[in-house]
Amino acid sequence: MPTKLWKEGDPSLNPKGRPRGLFNWQRAIVEKADELHPTDCHGRSWGQRVVDNLFRMAADGRPSSMQLKAIEELLNRGLGKPVQSIAVADLRPEAKEQLIENLLGVLQAEKAEKEKTDGELPVQ
């Protein structure tokens, strides 16, 4: 198991934080999407062409997996990945106890049924 280089309370290994001027994918994609496409006869931007192509592919049939992956990456980096929700059951202690009792009852019934049928040949 790898050991941690940094322990809570120790000085930061990166005291100045992330260096400024690092390439920002989201900003670059948004800027490129707003830029006019140089050869588009309708004067559309790169982003408008991508959206038009996306809808055309969806309407015309199956795009290639490479096209889908490229579109997915552009949308995820330009707009951000969709938020995924997680359902969490928040059971009160009484509800947990009732659930455990119900599960134990089912297990006991199955055990009793198994003991009752032990030694009998299964009916086909």
Side-chain angles (χ1 to χ4, degrees), residues 29-73:
I29 289 171
V30 169
E31 287 173 1
K32 186 67 174 183
D34 288 339
E35 194 178 296
L36 287 180
H37 190 277
T39 60
D40 189 81
C41 59
H42 301 292
R44 296 177 296 171
S45 69
W46 284 94
Q48 289 169 325
R49 285 179 58 120
V50 167
V51 170
D52 289 347
N53 285 333
L54 174 62
F55 277 91
R56 187 175 304 109
M57 284 187 288
D60 291 346
R62 294 185 161 179
S64 74
S65 60
M66 192 180 267
Q67 288 172 319
L68 284 176
K69 188 64 181 166
I71 291 166
E72 179 185 3
E73 285 299 315

